[in-house]
Amino acid sequence: MTMIKAQHLAVSYGHGDTALKVVKDVSFEAQKGETFGLVGESGCGKSTILGALAGRNKQWTGSIEIEGETIGQKRTRAQLAKQQLVFQDPFGSIHPRHTIGRTLLEPLEIHGKDRRQERIEKVLTDVGLPLKFRYRYPHQLSGGQRQRVAIARALILEPKILLLDEPTSALDVSIQAEILNLLKDLREREKLTYILVSHDLAVVAHLCDRVAIMQSGGFVEIATRQQLLENTVEHPYTRILMDGSRGYVSEKRERNSAALPA
Amino acid sequence: MANTSDTILTVENMSVEFPTLTGVTTAVHDVSFTVGREKVGIIGESGSGKSTTGRAIMRLQPPQAIVKANRMQFEDVDLMTASEEEMRSIRGRRIAMILQDPKYSLNPVMTVGEQISETVILHERATRQEARNRTLAMLERVNIRDPERVFDLYPHEVSGGMGQRIMISMMLIAQPSLIIADEPTSALDVTVRQQVLTILDDLVVERNIGLIFISHDLNLVRSFCDRVIIMYAGRVVETITAADLDQAQHPYTRGLLNALPSLDRPKDRLEVLRRDPAWLEN
């Protein structure tokens, strides 16, 4: 079943003569339970696509279908609740003066949900945090715990889709592993569909089934996980990004090894 | 492999302590290492003391911090006893530091050219004209195509990659013998990172100097450096040749390596690091 279907999606910022087209005519779809990746360098439009899917950015053209339902620029609450965002920086995305319980309560109030305390307890358990954390403030939590709170806040409305914007790039390697494992578990348990934005192809290959590689607002290639792992991607730009996630490639060493007979 | 007998920096049993209201916090704990004419990586997670170590070498720690060591020797200078005046002549001239984000570390109200020339004018009492010529040559050396134009730009007018190349040229114009690079490429995109590292690599080899490369990126340090120092909770847990990192013995290093998602060795679940309190003893 197709969960997300975007066709000829274009997104712009600004009006009139100064309007800037950031995403230019991209089409993709994601099946239920699938993780679709968006990879590219800063400014290529990957987060803007997430913004348009989430309903944050309303200046888009083309068509978006969520769960078979065509979405317009204006959405109902129920339509907005279907997809939720998780941001990159857990230090900047949670209100510093609200307790975790208060932060988790807010979406429930906005969407007029019942059984609020029960829902907060369930979602904290789901992301692997102790229940007493609802009385804590963000500064009393580590980076990994905060990112769990951000995921809990996204899950509390029982969405079908999570839009993940670089969910682990602000975290240490060992904490990144915990969050990636959690995301994998949640996807299976809750039958979620993910759109994952990242600049690290190793993270993307770990979680995603298919990946769109973006450059200046368009897709250069849609590669499968298999292609990434077997190193059979087609576009040279994808190869550059893959080399990047492996580390530094010395030009001298390359020149030397090219000159030497193997 | 660089000649390690030609030591530039020796640090023996260095500790950095921060007095707080609730007692003394030891950020760096009995750290010893040497740097020769080579690229040494310092790896660790946030809070492991890697940046504090780099700053303590240049005596750039906050005023309340206490640095203790048995020995801190940089070439002919004893860093333990050097006066503040001596330190001023060392900083920027003989030991240079490259920081993470050029957006915050360049002066926003001075042109790029003025900032780079300032180093030679202050340290070597060069004339303005001479400083300008050397700056232009240095900008060209870091692959900036149109140095005359870039000289008169302000930091907000240049891209992140160019900003970092400007930082590198500023650090290298005074011909230091040791560079401390603290996460120099973490704010940069992959393709730009490659260019910046190539420039840094070439300059270190060309001038035969030492580089301390502080980073959290295992793959990057493994492929860029000659030797790697792994830090955990303010302690050096292991020092290993970069090429042998896969054979690392310490459970912390092993844990970090296994927690990393990899394109070459995909696995279904990533291993989660289990921290052993025993790592804090020694």
Side-chain angles (χ1 to χ4, degrees), chain A residues 226-247:
Chain A
Q226 209 58 27
Q227 277 177 296
L228 287 180
L229 297 178
E230 287 168 4
N231 211 351
T232 54
V233 292
E234 277 153 28
H235 202 277
Y237 183 67
T238 317
R239 291 187 174 280
I240 295 178
L241 292 181
M242 287 182 70
D243 287 338
S245 81
R246 288 204 173 93

Side-chain angles (χ1 to χ4, degrees), chain A residues 13-49:
Chain A
Y13 291 115
H15 294 279
D17 294 342
T18 55
L20 183 67
K21 214 170 184 184
V22 177
V23 175
K24 298 154 193 158
D25 191 23
V26 297
S27 302
F28 63 93
E29 48 182 67
Q31 305 299 319
K32 189 176 165 81
E34 189 186 356
T35 299
F36 187 76
L38 295 170
V39 184
E41 297 186 272
S42 33
C44 73
K46 50 195 194 307
S47 299
T48 304
I49 292 184

Side-chain angles (χ1 to χ4, degrees), chain B residues 26-215:
Chain B
T26 310
V28 177
H29 208 98
D30 273 341
V31 165
S32 305
F33 60 92
T34 59
V35 181
R37 305 195 182 277
E38 58 180 339
K39 289 170 284 182
V40 179
I42 300 184
I43 275 197
E45 296 186 282
S46 38
S48 61
K50 52 192 195 305
S51 294
T52 312
T53 305
R55 277 159 200 274
I57 295 167
M58 284 184 90
R59 209 189 283 168
L60 284 173
Q61 71 277 18
Q64 75 272 20
I66 304 159
V67 179
K68 291 180 193 156
N70 291 357
R71 185 159 164 245
M72 278 171 83
Q73 183 82 24
F74 166 70
E75 293 186 324
D76 55 337
V77 188
D78 183 353
L79 294 175
M80 297 294 297
T81 56
S83 67
E84 194 45 36
E85 201 180 333
E86 280 174 273
M87 283 311 291
R88 270 204 298 276
S89 73
I90 290 172
R91 281 190 211 116
R93 182 170 168 195
R94 298 179 60 186
I95 308 180
M97 196 161 198
I98 301 171
L99 298 164
Q100 179 171 0
D101 196 340
K103 251 184 232 145
Y104 298 108
S105 23
L106 292 172
N107 184 342
V109 294
M110 260 173 109
T111 64
V112 163
E114 280 174 355
Q115 293 186 53
I116 305 175
S117 329
E118 197 183 29
T119 318
V120 256
I121 292 173
L122 282 175
H123 280 305
E124 301 179 16
R125 307 199 176 281
T127 62
R128 289 209 161 263
Q129 189 53 47
E130 192 193 330
R132 185 185 166 88
N133 291 339
R134 277 178 64 183
T135 303
L136 292 175
M138 199 63 226
L139 283 174
E140 221 174 332
R141 180 63 197 82
V142 293
N143 298 354
I144 287 175
R145 257 177 250 121
D146 190 357
E148 295 275 355
R149 186 181 68 88
V150 174
F151 191 95
D152 292 318
L153 294 181
Y154 284 92
H156 72 268
E157 297 173 299
V158 304
S159 65
M162 194 187 281
Q164 205 57 305
R165 280 183 278 168
I166 289 165
M167 282 277 282
I168 292 177
S169 60
M170 191 192 291
M171 293 308 128
L172 287 167
I173 195 164
Q175 316 214 318
S177 45
L178 179 67
I179 305 172
I180 301 170
D182 191 351
E183 304 262 9
T185 57
S186 308
L188 304 179
D189 274 326
V190 182
T191 46
V192 185
R193 182 174 84 182
Q194 186 67 33
Q195 295 166 10
V196 168
L197 288 175
T198 307
I199 293 167
L200 205 54
D201 192 12
D202 288 348
L203 282 167
V204 168
V205 174
E206 183 182 303
R207 297 195 174 169
N208 195 25
I209 56 181
L211 172 71
I212 299 179
F213 190 90
I214 299 169
S215 177

Side-chain angles (χ1 to χ4, degrees), chain A residues 14 23 46 73-74 80 140-141 164-165 190 199 206 208 262:
Chain A
V23 175
K46 50 195 194 307
Q73 260 74 4
K74 274 196 96 152
L80 284 167
Q140 297 167 307
L141 269 55
L164 306 160
D165 194 350
E190 313 283 331
H199 66 277
H206 180 73
C208 295

Side-chain angles (χ1 to χ4, degrees), chain A residues 41-42 172-174 176-178 180-181 184-185 201-202 205-206 229 240 244-249 252-253, chain B residues 45-46 189-191 193-194 197-198 201-202 219 223-224 259-261 263-264 267-270 272-273 275:
Chain A
E41 297 186 272
S42 33
D172 276 324
V173 180
S174 56
Q176 165 173 290
E178 284 176 24
L180 289 178
N181 284 341
K184 240 183 180 174
D185 293 344
L201 268 171
H206 180 73
L229 297 178
I240 295 178
S245 81
R246 288 204 173 93
Y248 172 67
V249 189
K252 246 177 291 152
R253 256 174 263 162
Chain B
E45 296 186 282
S46 38
D189 274 326
V190 182
T191 46
R193 182 174 84 182
Q194 186 67 33
L197 288 175
T198 307
D201 192 12
D202 288 348
N219 282 331
S223 48
F224 183 73
L260 210 59
L263 283 171
D264 304 315
K267 42 199 155 192
D268 190 41
R269 282 187 76 78
L270 298 168
V272 173
L273 186 70
R275 289 158 208 274

